[in-house]
Amino acid sequence: TWSLLDLGIFHGVTTNPVLLERAGKDCTVESLREMADSAFALGAREFMCQAWGKSALQMIDIGEQLASIDPRVVVKVPLTGPGVQAASVLAR
């Protein structure tokens, strides 16, 4: 939970589409922007979230949107063919 950040032993917060679904949260860029803002306000130094999509192009588009939220946002991709292709573009 967010209160664990107060312990000072965590560097950041991470999520992915499956965790968002389980928590009943929308998997949208805007929803992740709000979560990142909350995490940073509570002391997180990093917010890691996963891009989604069926193709590398979709993941690149979402990944770029996520990365533009804040320099402290780290974009993850799934370890799939399209995910690895997206990672090779996003890492540049």
Side-chain angles (χ1 to χ4, degrees):
T1 65
W2 294 114
S3 62
L4 294 176
L5 287 171
D6 293 335
L7 297 174
I9 60 173
F10 297 101
H11 184 75
V13 176
T14 189
T15 193
N16 64 48
V18 172
L19 294 175
L20 293 170
E21 182 180 342
R22 287 181 187 162
K25 301 288 184 184
D26 292 332
C27 187
T28 64
V29 172
E30 187 53 39
S31 177
L32 289 167
R33 178 186 319 278
E34 292 169 8
M35 285 182 231
D37 288 344
S38 294
F40 296 139
L42 290 167
R45 290 175 279 171
E46 210 170 58
F47 182 82
M48 295 151 276
C49 51
Q50 183 174 308
W52 59 88
K54 294 189 185 288
S55 70
L57 289 176
Q58 289 173 325
M59 284 186 238
I60 291 165
D61 179 51
I62 296 295
E64 288 174 341
Q65 291 179 60
L66 294 172
S68 74
I69 291 172
D70 187 282
R72 298 169 289 178
V73 169
V74 176
V75 176
K76 306 182 299 180
V77 295
L79 188 55
T80 61
V84 172
Q85 289 176 321
S88 71
V89 173
L90 292 169
R92 293 182 194 153

